[in-house]
Amino acid sequence: MSGNESSVTDFILVGLYPKFRHSTILNSMVVFAYALAFLGNTLLIVLIWGDSRLHTPMYILLSQLSLIDLTLTSTIVPKMAFNFFTGERTISWIGCGTQSFFFLMLGMSECLILTLMAYDRYVAVCNPLRYPIIMNARICLQMVAGCWAGGSASSLVHTVYPMHFPICGSREIHHFFCEVPVLLKLSCEDTSVYQLVVVVTSIVLLVVPFSLITASYTLIFLTVFRMNSVKGRRKVLATCSSHLTVVSLFFGPNIFIYMTFTSSHSPEQDQALSVFSNILTPMLNPLIYSLRNKEVIAALRKLAWRCVFL
């Protein structure tokens, strides 16, 4: 098979805003944002695992968040860039299912990791004496493994099932990657029942974790306001504000995408929210967590010093 020929089971990705006049500039900006996200998250992982002072539950969870962001953007952007700059718009049925599986797995795992990060801060601030027992390294790694396993199991179900819906007519996906909500729009069957299942699943995987995060930070702030140490209060608020910023950037767009029926979205809305949530946010996360974090900055200086004098 060569040229522009494609199998009858292939999908066609129309790409990112295909009717936009300056699509080359737009796609180049997305690739640039991906490069920054890749480098920033890779650097953060190297700093955390290379500096023994950062081998604590908080930074272990942060390294997992960076690993998820790194993999998530790599699942989406390279294929999008290849299709746009080569003019090849097709993606195979298996390729589409694989991309959808990894995207969902990583997104669900990130949701759970962010919840664990909030719980970690809650224990550290509200139960500091019990923190070494509740959040020791072994328990932390078990929690991380549970997040990955939970995300994988849920993603498998929500990839296999919608991929078997019959598709009638056009196989054009009005998006720049394969995602369950846009795949449902291609089906000639009534998918309203499954869409309801998606909404219910989203309540479990988005609303419940978001509620737990909100409850954790409510208790944290109540504890912080009772602190006598101004320095301690500022340190806790700096750490918490970074995490809350990331939580807002992650949960806001995803709640809109997955907790409303796909018929209420335009392709342009889906694409804009996907770029913001899945490309720009992973690019910003390393900056958000490092600019106000003295431990990370110290590890960065230590690494730079080593590189200069090697």
Side-chain angles (χ1 to χ4, degrees):
M1 193 176 297
S2 60
N4 292 323
E5 296 176 6
S6 62
S7 166
V8 291
T9 61
D10 285 353
F11 293 98
I12 298 173
L13 292 169
V14 300
L16 180 64
Y17 292 106
K19 296 181 180 179
F20 186 61
R21 287 182 57 189
H22 306 289
S23 56
T24 301
I25 296 175
L26 180 62
N27 280 269
S28 298
M29 289 174 64
V30 170
V31 172
F32 180 68
Y34 164 68
L36 292 179
F38 189 94
L39 293 173
N41 285 290
T42 300
L43 178 60
L44 197 53
I45 293 170
V46 170
L47 289 176
I48 291 171
W49 289 104
D51 194 322
S52 58
R53 293 173 298 179
L54 301 182
H55 293 176
T56 62
M58 183 179 80
Y59 290 108
I60 290 173
L61 293 173
L62 179 55
S63 71
Q64 293 301 302
L65 178 64
S66 290
L67 178 61
I68 289 171
D69 284 342
L70 176 66
T71 314
L72 180 65
T73 53
S74 297
T75 300
I76 298 171
V77 180
K79 176 61 177 174
M80 181 210 78
F82 176 81
N83 281 9
F84 178 78
F85 291 108
T86 64
E88 174 65 51
R89 300 196 302 163
T90 61
I91 184 170
S92 67
W93 185 86
I94 294 177
C96 186
T98 302
Q99 190 177 59
S100 179
F101 169 77
F102 280 105
F103 172 77
L104 285 174
M105 178 194 71
L106 295 163
M108 293 173 184
S109 298
E110 180 164 352
C111 181
L112 298 174
I113 288 290
L114 288 172
T115 307
L116 278 185
M117 292 176 76
Y119 176 70
D120 172 76
R121 291 300 84 205
Y122 160 74
V123 177
V125 175
C126 301
N127 295 284
L129 297 179
R130 299 185 61 196
Y131 182 79
I133 300 172
I134 298 174
M135 290 297 295
N136 61 61
R138 182 177 61 85
I139 292 176
C140 182
L141 291 174
Q142 288 175 347
M143 289 179 172
V144 168
C147 290
W148 284 99
S152 299
S154 183
S155 175
L156 184 63
V157 173
H158 285 287
T159 300
V160 172
Y161 189 74
M163 288 296 291
H164 283 84
F165 279 126
I167 295 174
C168 306
S170 174
R171 302 181 72 86
E172 276 194 348
I173 297 176
H174 292 273
H175 214 318
F176 56 93
F177 69 99
C178 286
E179 190 181 18
V180 169
V182 292
L183 288 174
L184 295 178
K185 293 180 179 181
L186 302 181
S187 176
C188 53
E189 276 192 0
D190 180 13
T191 62
S192 58
V193 174
Y194 178 71
Q195 288 187 50
L196 185 59
V197 172
V198 171
V199 172
V200 172
T201 304
S202 300
I203 291 173
V204 175
L205 291 172
L206 287 172
V207 176
V208 172
F210 184 73
S211 300
L212 292 173
I213 292 171
T214 303
S216 296
Y217 277 105
T218 300
L219 295 172
I220 288 171
F221 289 138
L222 290 174
T223 302
V224 168
F225 291 139
R226 290 196 295 265
M227 285 182 176
N228 295 322
S229 171
V230 176
K231 184 178 180 181
R233 187 184 303 171
R234 286 177 178 173
K235 182 178 180 180
V236 172
L237 289 177
T239 304
C240 293
S241 62
S242 298
H243 186 237
L244 282 174
T245 302
V246 173
V247 166
S248 302
L249 292 174
F250 175 81
F251 280 94
N254 283 295
I255 286 175
F256 177 82
I257 292 172
Y258 290 100
M259 291 195 61
T260 55
F261 285 101
T262 58
S263 57
S264 64
H265 306 170
S266 69
E268 290 75 19
Q269 286 177 321
D270 286 334
Q271 292 191 26
L273 289 171
S274 291
V275 169
F276 181 82
S277 178
N278 303 313
I279 300 172
L280 295 182
T281 298
M283 179 191 74
L284 294 173
N285 284 352
L287 292 174
I288 293 170
Y289 276 110
S290 61
L291 289 178
R292 299 180 65 184
N293 192 305
K294 293 181 180 179
E295 288 85 359
V296 173
I297 293 174
L300 181 60
R301 287 174 179 169
K302 183 179 178 181
L303 179 64
W305 185 266
R306 285 179 180 176
C307 292
V308 169
F309 290 96
L310 276 179

